Amino acid sequence: MFKQKPLAAAVSMAVWSLAALPALAQDAPAVPMQTVEVTGIRASMAKSLAVKRDATANVEVITAEDVGKMPDRNLADSLQRLSGVAVRTDYDEAEKVAMRGTNPDHTLIIFNGHAVSGGDWYISDQLSSSRSTSLSLMPSSVLNQAQVYKTSQANLVDGGLAGTINVTTRKPLAQKERLSGVVNVGAVYADLPGKTTHDIDASMNWKNEAGTFGFIVQGFAQKRMIRRDSVSRFAYPPNSGWDVINTTTMKGITDESLAGTGYKAADLNGVRIPGSMSMEFVEGERDRKGGMFAVQFKPNQDLDVNLTGFHSQLKAPNYGRLNAGAIMSMLLGRQSGQGPYGGAATSVNGQQVFAQIRNPVIVTEKTVFGHELKVLKSADIVYADGTPPQYIGETEGAYRDGAKATSSFLDLDAKYRVNQDLTVKGLLSVTRGVGQTELDQGLTYTRFGTGVSYALGSLYDAPYVQYHGSGPNSYKPQGADGTGFVLTGRNASGAKTVDKEHSLNLDAEYKLDRGWLKSMETGVRYSQHKRDLVRRWPQLRYAALAPNAPTSGFKPWPSDFGDGLDGPGGWDNVSWTMSPEALKAYFEANRTVTSDDWERRAGLEIDMRERQSAAYMMANFEADRLSGNVGVRYVRTQVDSMIPNLVPAGLCTRSRPGEPIVPCPGYPDAITWYHEGSGSFQDANFNPKAGNFFYKKANKHVYTNVLPSLNLRYELDKDMLLRFGASKTLGRQNYNLFAVGYSGPTCGEAGCTIIGPNPNLSPQTSNNLDLAWNWYFAPRAQVGVNVYNSRIKGYPKTGVAGAATIQFVDPRDSQLKDFFVLTSSQQGARIRGIEISYEQPIGNTGFGFTSNVSRAKTKVDDGLPMVGASEWAGNLGGYFENDKISARLVANYRSEYVNSSTAPAPNAASQGKAVINGVTMPVAPTYAAPVTTLAFNASYNLTPNLILSLDATNLTNAKRAYYRYSEEEQQKLDVSGRQYYVNLKYKF
């Protein structure tokens, strides 16, 4: 299953280095005593190891200099270098951080001790409504230090089920000089889009002569262009993904059509088949601007007051293009599901026509669940000779205008030493994050031809694909010969997610120094959290698609599309698209100004409030070689959500903008002024009774949890430590599981289902055990082994059709029927793991290396894989540094994991069941395949104050592959290109 092997090299190096480690430690030659100030990489490693060594809990640490000497563009890039930390990467920049084999929503990220709200720039993440924090808004330059807590303690903010990351920003009075600063000016070149943009960062620090007052100001403006080339199975239903052959419904598959192949039609039943051979092409930009300030007032040794503010905005308009196939529809004898065709049966002279399978190549796969299945690796999917052109796929473009995200916080913290024994602290914070797409606008064109040939190769190579009888792969309106394209679909919608919180922490520590008991800590915390998601669909003038349809602005895809995907010779990697201007012009010409309320859909909104309160007590103790803490934290969570509920059909009357609102009989709170998809067009009669009507029902739930914790630190000798941690941690459920409305109504022979919330979900809890050993055998060197075990209660089980039902309109016949609600239940899960880390300078040569490897074994009660969990992760880095030159090369590896949005939907298919050839098995999840990335940083001191640096990320242009039941079922393959940064940094 593993195609890339850098991890093996990393482990081998670590093992061989361990064998030589004692000799290196013992044989180092004696040198005369002298005073040397170590800076750069070596200084940051020493500082990070000192913090790790002195900590009572099991922590990993990175410092500002660590980040400055690594090719890291944001905090997630930096954190992925640590043992036990993995990231989700989009367009070659890390965004979401996950710890110890869990999904990112199980890791709590706090800044200066408080939560931070962050928006998502991509619309699917905006809609998923996860608790995970997107760090794409946080440039690495804001970091002073990040401590990753792998074991919990009572005085930590609750919410990190797998762990907590506390990021601290710089303090003015901690700087050496009264006046100092950095100006960093540079450029970034993205090789796939072939464009160069700016990279600017500047900060200044000032403090008075007495060292009692100071401030820091910082600003950044960083822009880079992005592009992603992909091949995939993504398409419109029923063609998206993979399915199985059924000759009962795929009537073109006959013994006659398979003559000469050695197969009979019956042999193909149950064979896995791709629904589409698609290509995707995305372009966009990441324009990040913002700043930070910090003010510190410390008039004496007893009082310390800090005010810190941060704001960042990421503008990320992006344009996605898709050239999709329709293999399943062809075999089922169906037309396009778009526009006037509506998925109806094909018809030639009144007869339904079905595509055939010719020249099949079938292989056997062993699925990730251990079942053996057949896979159709290559074939010709064609209509019978002489059949006029039929539906064979779609081409579309979707421009996401106004896509952006913002994150801001303001915190005030004060520390006062009342006397030599008592110290009190207070922290007041407010934070707000917004993720918004003003308009996701797209047009879809249906393509007509006579067939498609394909051949899937390895997981990491693009497949062969050729379309037949469709004319050139460029825009041509459908002609008399039946070939060409027809405008059949459009979409225009927007989304805005707002997340905000304000909190207050009050803490006190009292020094006892009574034998082994050194101090007692206690504190309280209160926060109010608010989460809103609003969806908008602008009102268009006409129900028909033709008015104002584009007649120009069509252009081919880039000639180098797919060069990094290693497609076979002769594969069809050519397509066409519309310019963003042509696409925007169509919707501007067709849009009607109504009102904000009219454009909304209540059934898809999130409206929730969460009140969190906590109190804790913790004792710190020390006796000879043993030290540690023991404590307990009491947590109360109150969730108030407004859940959209459906009004029975026929009762309410919809009011268009400008018309008086008509009360709904029996439902005075019904929302009758949202269009809910019914529309009011100039070329169609308005039906005020059409569509669904909702009212919002308040739901309130209160949960209480007691979270005990124990951390022990034992000095085996002066350089060797043993740590033990036992704790219970808390992780609150994602917002979309218990606060979203109803969506996705689907009806079939087995009945009707609809996606909906479960407002009764309780928070997840985990009982954790952790044992760590570290040996600091030389300056800036250590080796460590860490084992852990976590038992999770309340892990969400999505895609469950429970006993709950609601009445909803059947989309097939517009009749009101009972729908079973696809929602979430809860179950148990377990994580067991080991982490090994080793770092060391190599004598006095200036060279050194860092390495770590981790393994996390996960198990969920239902036997299905844990979403987002990688079993293996590792880092291997080498560095060199002297007074003039600094260089670092870092490789990062992550093994396969079940891929999803950061907040899996309540109906996530990975929790469902499928029946293939009479055998019941889990529905095929989508796995992200193992990936290794390589990054480089080098800097040269032109003068003591002027530094030239070069950074490069994704040096190998790593392919990111995805698959379903096995690697024989390629689902997607991406490349995003390399990024090169050149900067000139001036220190004063």
Side-chain angles (χ1 to χ4, degrees):
M1 181 176 292
F2 300 95
K3 298 291 187 181
Q4 301 176 347
K5 303 294 186 181
L7 182 63
V11 175
S12 299
M13 179 174 285
V15 171
W16 282 108
S17 300
L18 278 171
L21 185 151
L24 286 171
Q26 295 168 12
D27 297 342
V31 296
M33 293 286 291
Q34 57 179 325
T35 301
V36 178
E37 182 179 4
V38 180
T39 60
I41 295 175
R42 294 166 294 176
S44 67
M45 291 180 65
K47 184 176 181 180
S48 296
L49 288 180
V51 175
K52 175 181 174 68
R53 179 173 180 163
D54 293 341
T56 301
N58 183 9
V59 301
E60 301 288 345
V61 183
I62 55 174
T63 67
E65 192 67 25
D66 273 326
V67 176
K69 297 298 181 181
M70 288 186 183
D72 298 327
R73 311 318 301 176
N74 67 38
L75 291 181
D77 276 327
S78 306
L79 291 166
Q80 72 173 323
R81 315 292 179 198
L82 299 176
S83 174
V85 178
V87 298
R88 194 193 81 175
T89 300
D90 286 319
Y91 300 95
D92 191 37
E93 185 173 16
E95 289 203 25
K96 307 275 186 172
V97 175
M99 293 177 59
R100 292 189 160 176
T102 61
N103 215 35
D105 49 88
H106 292 153
T107 298
L108 176 67
I109 300 177
I110 55 179
F111 273 67
N112 296 332
H114 62 81
V116 59
S117 293
D120 289 299
W121 66 270
Y122 189 57
I123 189 166
S124 64
D125 289 327
Q126 293 165 2
L127 302 180
S128 72
S129 288
S130 166
R131 288 187 185 269
S132 61
T133 301
S134 173
L135 294 178
S136 61
L137 288 155
M138 313 293 181
S140 56
S141 57
V142 306
L143 174 75
N144 173 57
Q145 190 176 88
Q147 294 192 29
V148 179
Y149 286 85
K150 296 181 177 179
T151 58
S152 188
Q153 53 191 42
N155 61 354
L156 278 179
V157 177
D158 50 86
L161 187 78
T164 300
I165 301 173
N166 185 27
V167 179
T168 59
T169 54
R170 291 179 294 148
K171 292 189 175 183
L173 299 184
Q175 311 307 307
K176 293 181 180 180
E177 306 294 335
R178 282 192 58 201
L179 177 63
S180 61
V182 175
V183 178
N184 189 6
V185 179
V188 53
Y189 173 73
D191 74 342
L192 193 54
K195 296 180 180 179
T196 302
T197 49
H198 59 266
D199 185 29
I200 302 171
D201 194 322
S203 65
M204 186 189 75
N205 181 91
W206 176 87
K207 62 181 177 180
N208 62 8
E209 189 172 355
T212 59
F213 179 78
F215 65 84
I216 294 175
V217 291
Q218 177 182 355
F220 51 87
Q222 301 163 330
K223 183 177 182 179
R224 68 188 187 100
M225 309 306 292
I226 61 172
R227 173 176 151 185
R228 186 176 69 193
D229 293 359
S230 309
V231 291
S232 76
R233 309 291 82 79
F234 179 70
Y236 282 93
N239 304 299
S240 196
W242 286 75
D243 210 323
V244 294
I245 295 173
N246 181 348
T247 57
T248 302
T249 55
M250 301 175 180
K251 298 179 181 180
I253 307 173
T254 63
D255 292 346
E256 291 76 16
S257 67
L258 294 169
T261 66
Y263 292 107
K264 298 292 187 181
D267 298 333
L268 271 64
N269 278 317
V271 173
R272 295 277 290 173
I273 182 172
S276 172
M277 289 289 131
S278 301
M279 300 184 299
E280 300 177 55
F281 165 51
V282 181
E283 288 181 303
E285 65 180 55
R286 297 275 190 92
D287 190 0
R288 181 168 58 199
K289 291 185 176 72
M292 186 188 73
F293 75 87
V295 178
Q296 185 176 10
F297 177 56
K298 191 175 182 180
N300 52 54
Q301 295 301 310
D302 295 327
L303 179 63
D304 188 2
V305 181
N306 294 269
L307 178 67
T308 306
F310 171 83
H311 175 77
S312 177
Q313 181 180 73
L314 179 70
K315 293 182 178 179
N318 57 96
Y319 190 13
R321 291 84 153 183
L322 172 69
N323 184 21
I327 291 175
M328 293 302 295
S329 290
M330 294 167 63
L331 293 172
L332 291 168
R334 294 288 174 181
Q335 299 186 59
S336 170
Q338 301 297 300
Y341 302 107
T346 55
S347 179
V348 176
N349 298 322
Q351 295 294 317
Q352 188 176 11
V353 293
F354 298 84
Q356 304 171 350
I357 293 180
R358 299 178 184 174
N359 303 313
V361 175
I362 299 174
V363 301
T364 300
E365 69 173 347
K366 189 170 185 178
T367 75
V368 292
F369 303 109
H371 304 93
E372 283 196 352
L373 295 175
K374 303 291 186 180
V375 179
L376 189 65
K377 289 289 283 188
S378 70
D380 302 320
I381 313 297
V382 295
Y383 288 98
D385 296 341
T387 304
Q390 301 294 313
Y391 164 53
I392 62 169
E394 279 95 8
T395 294
E396 71 171 18
Y399 183 67
R400 299 169 186 101
D401 202 8
K404 61 184 178 182
T406 62
S407 179
S408 306
F409 69 78
L410 180 68
D411 63 58
L412 174 66
D413 77 85
K415 181 179 179 180
Y416 179 61
R417 188 174 65 176
V418 180
N419 54 48
Q420 63 179 3
D421 296 324
L422 179 62
T423 301
V424 295
K425 295 181 289 185
L427 173 62
L428 179 64
S429 70
V430 294
T431 180
R432 185 175 189 267
V434 178
Q436 182 175 8
T437 299
E438 292 180 2
L439 192 62
D440 179 7
Q441 51 203 317
L443 292 178
T444 302
Y445 288 78
T446 293
R447 185 181 190 183
F448 293 85
T450 58
V452 60
S453 297
Y454 78 89
L456 288 162
S458 78
L459 178 63
Y460 292 95
D461 294 323
Y464 174 85
V465 58
Q466 277 287 342
Y467 289 93
H468 305 300
S470 60
N473 204 351
S474 58
Y475 176 69
K476 179 182 80 75
Q478 188 178 30
D481 63 355
T483 66
F485 295 85
V486 176
L487 177 62
T488 54
R490 69 184 177 192
N491 176 71
S493 64
K496 184 176 182 179
T497 300
V498 179
D499 187 275
K500 54 187 178 182
E501 177 175 305
H502 59 267
S503 64
L504 174 65
N505 294 36
L506 297 174
D507 303 273
E509 181 175 10
Y510 188 74
K511 294 181 179 179
L512 297 171
D513 205 14
R514 296 180 180 176
W516 59 271
L517 186 58
K518 298 302 180 182
S519 69
M520 290 291 298
E521 294 184 47
T522 186
V524 295
R525 177 179 183 268
Y526 177 78
S527 71
Q528 287 198 12
H529 195 104
K530 186 174 186 293
R531 181 79 170 204
D532 294 313
L533 168 63
V534 174
R535 299 291 311 277
R536 297 190 185 280
W537 273 260
Q539 177 64 62
L540 301 179
R541 294 181 187 276
Y542 307 104
L545 301 176
N548 303 305
T551 57
S552 62
F554 304 101
K555 60 181 184 179
W557 283 19
S559 59
D560 64 348
F561 172 81
D563 283 357
L565 297 172
D566 295 330
W571 73 302
D572 190 355
N573 63 336
V574 178
S575 189
W576 60 272
T577 184
M578 291 161 285
S579 68
E581 293 73 22
L583 200 58
K584 292 167 66 175
Y586 172 84
F587 285 97
E588 288 171 359
N590 284 281
R591 187 170 181 175
T592 297
V593 177
T594 54
S595 67
D596 287 345
D597 280 348
W598 175 256
E599 296 181 350
R600 292 171 62 175
R601 293 192 182 181
L604 300 176
E605 296 184 348
I606 291 178
D607 180 0
M608 64 154 292
R609 311 292 181 272
E610 194 172 71
R611 294 174 175 85
Q612 304 170 13
S613 51
Y616 75 90
M617 290 192 68
M618 187 174 80
N620 299 298
F621 55 86
E622 183 176 353
D624 194 19
R625 296 184 178 184
L626 179 67
S627 60
N629 60 59
V630 60
V632 63
R633 187 178 185 92
Y634 172 81
V635 181
R636 182 181 187 271
T637 305
Q638 178 179 322
V639 180
D640 295 282
S641 54
M642 300 295 292
I643 306 295
N645 282 257
L646 192 69
V647 177
L651 296 181
C652 297
T653 301
R654 198 174 311 280
S655 302
R656 286 186 290 187
E659 296 179 350
I661 296 174
V662 179
C664 186
Y667 293 87
D669 296 326
I671 302 170
T672 60
W673 53 94
Y674 293 6
H675 75 62
E676 295 294 347
S678 60
S680 175
F681 301 103
Q682 294 181 10
D683 60 346
N685 293 326
F686 175 69
N687 181 0
K689 296 289 187 179
N692 294 314
F693 292 84
F694 293 89
Y695 66 97
K696 291 190 175 183
K697 182 179 179 180
N699 282 270
K700 175 182 177 180
H701 293 276
V702 177
Y703 307 98
T704 59
N705 297 92
V706 177
L707 309 176
S709 61
L710 169 69
N711 288 283
L712 301 176
R713 176 182 182 273
Y714 184 75
E715 295 184 3
L716 298 170
D717 61 33
K718 65 182 182 66
D719 295 321
M720 195 176 295
L721 299 176
L722 190 67
R723 287 186 176 87
F724 172 77
S727 64
K728 184 177 183 179
T729 51
L730 174 75
R732 297 177 176 89
Q733 302 287 356
N734 284 319
Y735 308 109
N736 66 327
L737 295 184
F738 60 82
V740 76
Y742 296 95
S743 63
T746 303
C747 291
E749 294 181 1
C752 297
T753 61
I754 190 169
I755 306 167
N758 183 354
N760 300 312
L761 291 178
S762 60
Q764 301 174 72
T765 58
S766 179
N767 294 321
N768 314 295
L769 296 174
D770 187 281
L771 182 65
W773 169 84
N774 293 92
W775 180 23
Y776 301 87
F777 58 89
R780 302 188 303 279
Q782 73 89 29
V783 60
V785 180
N786 187 191
V787 294
Y788 60 90
N789 182 79
S790 297
R791 288 187 175 273
I792 299 173
K793 181 180 179 182
Y795 184 77
K797 179 179 175 66
T798 57
V800 180
T805 62
I806 65 165
Q807 286 200 320
F808 209 83
V809 175
D810 186 336
R812 301 173 301 178
D813 55 18
S814 300
Q815 298 298 308
L816 198 65
K817 296 179 181 178
D818 288 330
F819 281 68
F820 287 97
V821 180
L822 283 175
T823 188
S824 302
S825 62
Q826 295 186 269
Q827 59 183 329
R830 183 178 180 180
I831 306 173
R832 293 177 294 172
I834 182 170
E835 299 164 353
I836 302 173
S837 61
Y838 176 30
E839 56 189 279
Q840 180 182 346
I842 301 175
N844 297 315
T845 64
F847 287 95
F849 66 89
T850 61
S851 63
N852 60 69
V853 61
S854 61
R855 186 185 189 189
K857 294 286 289 183
T858 62
K859 183 179 180 181
V860 183
D861 281 357
D862 60 11
L864 299 179
M866 181 178 283
V867 174
S870 285
E871 182 175 352
W872 290 96
N875 292 277
L876 179 63
Y879 64 86
F880 172 79
E881 186 176 54
N882 60 25
D883 294 339
K884 282 286 187 179
I885 300 174
S886 173
R888 197 163 198 162
L889 183 67
V890 182
N892 176 266
Y893 171 83
R894 183 178 184 183
S895 69
E896 73 276 14
Y897 61 94
V898 175
N899 185 61
S900 77
S901 65
T902 49
N907 68 323
S910 62
Q911 302 289 334
K913 297 289 184 181
V915 179
I916 302 177
N917 291 334
V919 178
T920 300
M921 62 188 71
V923 168
T926 298
Y927 273 91
V931 64
T932 300
T933 58
L934 192 65
F936 176 74
N937 164 273
S939 61
Y940 180 76
N941 298 333
L942 300 171
T943 71
N945 292 5
L946 190 62
I947 302 170
L948 178 66
S949 66
L950 170 67
D951 298 319
T953 61
N954 195 27
L955 274 172
T956 59
N957 193 21
K959 299 177 187 176
R960 297 184 181 273
Y962 304 82
Y963 59 91
R964 300 300 296 273
Y965 272 131
S966 80
E967 292 186 2
E968 299 291 349
E969 298 186 17
Q970 183 195 69
Q971 177 68 16
K972 192 176 183 183
L973 183 68
D974 293 337
V975 289
S976 299
R978 304 167 183 87
Q979 304 276 340
Y980 300 97
Y981 301 80
V982 178
N983 291 83
L984 195 61
K985 181 186 295 185
Y986 178 69
K987 298 180 179 180
F988 62 89

